[in-house]
Amino acid sequence: MPAGRRARAARSPSQGGDVALRVAVIGSGPAGIYTAEALVKQSSEPVEIDVLERLPTPYGLVRYGVAPDHTSIKSIAGYLRRVLELPQVRFLGGVTLGADVSVSDLLSAYDAVVYATGAMVDRRLGIPGEDLPGSVAATDFVNWYCGHPDVDAGRFSLDSSEVAVIGVGNVAVDVVRILAKTAAELSATDVPHEVLERLRASQVKAIHMIGRRGPEHAKFTLKELRELGELANADVCVRPEEAVVLGGDYPRQVRGNIEVLRSWSERVPQGRPRRLDVRFWLRPVEILGGDRVEGLRLERTRLTPEGRVQGTGEFETLPVGMVLRSVGYQSVPLADVPFSMETMTVPNEAGRVREREYVAGWLKRGPTGVIGTNKSDAAETVRTLLADLAGREHELKTDLDTLLAERGVRPVTYEEWLAIEAAEADLGGALGRGERVKLPGLEAMLRACRP
Ligand SMILES: Cc1cc2nc3c(=O)[nH]c(=O)nc-3n(C[C@H](O)[C@H](O)[C@H](O)COP(=O)(O)OP(=O)(O)OC[C@H]3O[C@@H](n4cnc5c(N)ncnc54)[C@H](O)[C@@H]3O)c2cc1C
Ligand SMILES: NC(=O)c1ccc[n+]([C@@H]2O[C@H](COP(=O)([O-])OP(=O)(O)OC[C@H]3O[C@@H](n4cnc5c(N)ncnc54)[C@H](OP(=O)(O)O)[C@@H]3O)[C@@H](O)[C@H]2O)c1
């Protein structure tokens, strides 16, 4: 059994001198786990790291964001697992900062705290109709198909024949791909079984992906874009007039995107069951409907000389029954932790927030960047932390395990998480689907690890 799975002996308060540096990392996404790894690797003195996570499961968006059909990217979880199994690292699932523990609890139990809680809510469009039933944040839709316990597997039915996806970033590309693929293509993935059945019953025929600027400004990356052109179940269409890009000195990725989109504008539809229209220079101005979404009103755009998006007064309406808003994620403030409502991040200097408090990942720098970006980001935070705490006397007053027990909070241990994983593998086998299928909801997960 890896040493990281052991229960750690409580350290009595006010121990000093030769004891390990104790750090609490809040959040077990890539940023939190890379932080734990960097602490182990960079520290010249012994360290003990507790990774506190509100869910019973580790890996953050690697588990509940990365698209289920991107299995090679998901396999990064194998690397993160090895960090959780280091003898200096302990996983405590089902513990929420702000509900089960406070910042002051943590500061009296650890030498330092690193916040790495990511960005879990959607950015708003701020247009009329945004809250109509059928107008859905990509955060919720992604959570749904990824089996996040915050979203019920029965939450969405794909009963509209036309759907609009607003935004041309990589999350929008993921959402479009999941809508366009058949249930058979997704059967071997880990999507919860009820979600798969709802995808099987999907009535979606046309998907409109909407960019408010041009192909040269799209945020998706070339590899992810190309995948849309290889969909077996959907024809991909781009209007030639929207694929036109004026000359400019664009980076290689952008040149690649422009070329792919231009080549799609010359494609002849092959009569596939679904159709993806990738549109540019259109901004959403209103989501239409009475009791639910019945259409999306768009305005053609251009850029001002300063580069701002400006409406031209020319409108068009798409007859969609669902609007998926994929315009970015954002962080939420943590109780008693500084937060800038302007940048929607925790203000910091090279990761330092205040004395003994640090931040890493999307909460530190905003919701951009791939998984690997969080590694160098976490390394910077850890360098700051170790420099600040060098030679520090340890004067801790509280033992977190005792405190949690007093509050009736029983953390999900690493072994219990492994039991959840094993139950997911059993379910995948029993359903004849694949390596694993996610269990539906928190209760099912807890039943699997605490029979
Ligand atoms: C839909 C989507 C798909 C993506 N796909 C890819 C991809 O294919 N490839 C790629 O390289 N990058 C991808 N990314 C980007 C990548 O996922 C992020 O860069 C990365 O996950 C950010 O790491 P993080 O640790 O800061 O946040 P997260 O991964 O969000 O981790 C934060 C963790 O903190 C926990 N938490 C939150 N609040 C609390 C609290 N109060 N107390 C305790 N715990 C808490 C959360 O449950 C979560 O586990 C994707 C992002 C999204 C949104
Ligand atoms: N496979 C992968 O590697 C992968 C997969 C998923 C996510 N990720 C990463 O995760 C991060 C987040 O991705 P994301 O797609 O959520 O965000 P993103 O890359 O920032 O894209 C957001 C999109 O929404 C648009 N948008 C924002 N506000 C809008 C508004 N009011 N009206 C219309 N459109 C609006 C943006 O257009 P403007 O540019 O005009 O603002 C942009 O096209 C990115 O770094 C991404 O690369 C990676």
Side-chain angles (χ1 to χ4, degrees):
M1 179 200 277
R5 300 181 202 172
R6 83 211 181 289
R8 174 171 295 145
R11 180 168 61 154
S12 53
S14 301
Q15 270 181 298
D18 56 347
V19 295
L21 178 73
R22 282 202 153 187
V23 182
V25 174
I26 315 303
S28 67
I33 297 187
Y34 286 135
T35 296
E37 183 188 36
L39 279 163
V40 172
K41 284 192 174 160
Q42 288 183 34
S43 178
S44 53
E45 62 176 310
V47 284
E48 289 189 347
I49 303 136
D50 283 352
V51 179
L52 276 55
E53 165 59 54
R54 79 178 179 102
L55 299 174
T57 56
Y59 312 140
L61 285 166
V62 172
R63 182 173 160 89
Y64 292 121
V66 173
D69 57 339
H70 277 177
T71 42
S72 67
I73 302 175
K74 278 199 166 309
S75 67
I76 191 99
Y79 181 92
L80 303 178
R81 158 194 295 263
R82 287 198 288 279
V83 177
L84 288 184
E85 292 182 353
L86 290 170
Q88 300 91 333
V89 180
R90 189 171 69 141
F91 173 72
L92 288 89
V95 181
T96 303
L97 171 62
D100 302 312
V101 287
S102 67
V103 168
S104 70
D105 294 334
L106 294 172
L107 288 173
S108 67
Y110 297 91
D111 296 300
V113 183
V114 183
Y115 308 112
T117 51
M120 53 200 264
V121 300
D122 61 301
R123 269 191 221 136
R124 302 280 296 170
L125 282 173
I127 60 170
E130 191 167 7
D131 295 316
L132 277 175
S135 165
V136 175
T139 45
D140 285 339
F141 194 70
V142 168
N143 278 347
W144 175 69
Y145 67 64
C146 286
H148 194 294
D150 282 0
V151 176
D152 190 83
R155 170 88 165 267
F156 299 115
S157 294
L158 302 172
D159 45 16
S160 307
S161 61
E162 299 209 27
V163 175
V165 177
I166 298 171
V168 283
N170 277 332
V171 172
V173 170
D174 281 350
V175 164
V176 162
R177 212 177 52 255
I178 297 298
L179 287 169
K181 281 191 169 180
T182 61
E185 288 174 293
L186 295 169
S187 175
T189 70
D190 66 0
V191 297
H193 208 55
E194 183 173 350
V195 171
L196 187 72
E197 289 314 307
R198 280 167 182 260
L199 290 169
R200 198 185 305 286
S202 166
Q203 300 297 308
V204 174
K205 299 275 181 297
I207 305 160
H208 310 266
M209 188 187 190
I210 318 283
R212 64 177 170 178
R213 299 188 286 159
E216 68 274 40
H217 307 111
K219 297 263 173 67
F220 41 57
T221 40
L222 184 54
K223 182 167 164 288
E224 280 63 31
L225 180 67
R226 278 205 182 111
E227 254 185 282
L228 295 183
E230 290 154 14
L231 290 167
N233 195 47
D235 284 317
V236 179
C237 309
V238 175
R239 296 175 190 209
E241 67 276 17
E242 290 180 357
V244 174
V245 172
L246 296 178
D249 190 13
Y250 300 113
R252 198 162 57 88
Q253 276 276 340
V254 174
R255 288 201 307 273
N257 284 349
I258 294 170
E259 184 46 36
V260 166
L261 291 162
R262 197 200 50 74
S263 73
W264 290 354
S265 73
E266 292 169 358
R267 276 194 186 181
V268 178
Q270 301 294 302
R272 295 188 174 101
R274 288 183 178 137
R275 176 190 167 103
L276 165 62
D277 262 312
V278 188
R279 305 290 311 273
F280 293 100
W281 297 111
L282 290 169
R283 71 173 179 191
V285 288
E286 184 172 1
I287 299 175
L288 307 168
D291 295 336
R292 53 165 302 116
V293 172
E294 289 164 14
L296 173 66
R297 191 155 188 258
L298 300 163
E299 183 179 20
R300 184 141 307 276
T301 55
R302 61 175 164 235
L303 289 187
T304 63
E306 302 77 46
R308 275 189 303 106
V309 176
Q310 185 183 55
T312 60
E314 186 191 330
F315 296 91
E316 76 173 77
T317 298
L318 298 176
V320 296
M322 185 181 203
V323 174
L324 279 152
R325 310 178 319 259
S326 182
V327 296
Y329 281 51
Q330 72 190 15
S331 298
V332 290
L334 293 166
D336 302 322
V337 178
F339 193 79
S340 159
M341 295 308 284
E342 209 173 298
T343 61
M344 301 304 279
T345 56
V346 170
N348 69 92
E349 268 174 52
R352 182 190 310 104
V353 182
R354 288 185 297 214
E355 200 185 341
R356 300 200 290 133
E357 291 176 84
Y358 301 85
V359 64
W362 276 16
L363 183 65
K364 173 183 173 187
R365 59 173 208 281
T368 57
V370 291
I371 294 164
T373 320
N374 300 293
K375 191 167 187 173
S376 46
D377 175 293
E380 178 194 60
T381 294
V382 169
R383 273 195 301 277
T384 306
L385 183 158
L386 292 175
D388 287 354
L389 270 71
R392 187 188 165 81
E393 277 297 303
H394 303 271
E395 285 180 26
L396 304 181
K397 298 184 177 67
T398 313
D399 171 61
L400 190 81
D401 295 9
T402 312
L403 188 137
L404 290 176
E406 281 166 5
R407 291 181 184 167
V409 179
R410 183 178 158 199
V412 173
T413 63
Y414 186 76
E415 294 93 324
E416 287 175 325
W417 148 241
L418 291 184
I420 296 173
E421 244 194 348
E424 292 183 344
D426 290 348
L427 184 59
L431 293 168
R433 281 193 35 198
E435 230 172 79
R436 70 173 57 110
V437 167
K438 293 223 182 87
L439 298 174
L442 210 51
E443 271 180 34
M445 285 194 253
L446 291 177
R447 266 199 312 275
C449 69
R450 292 172 183 167

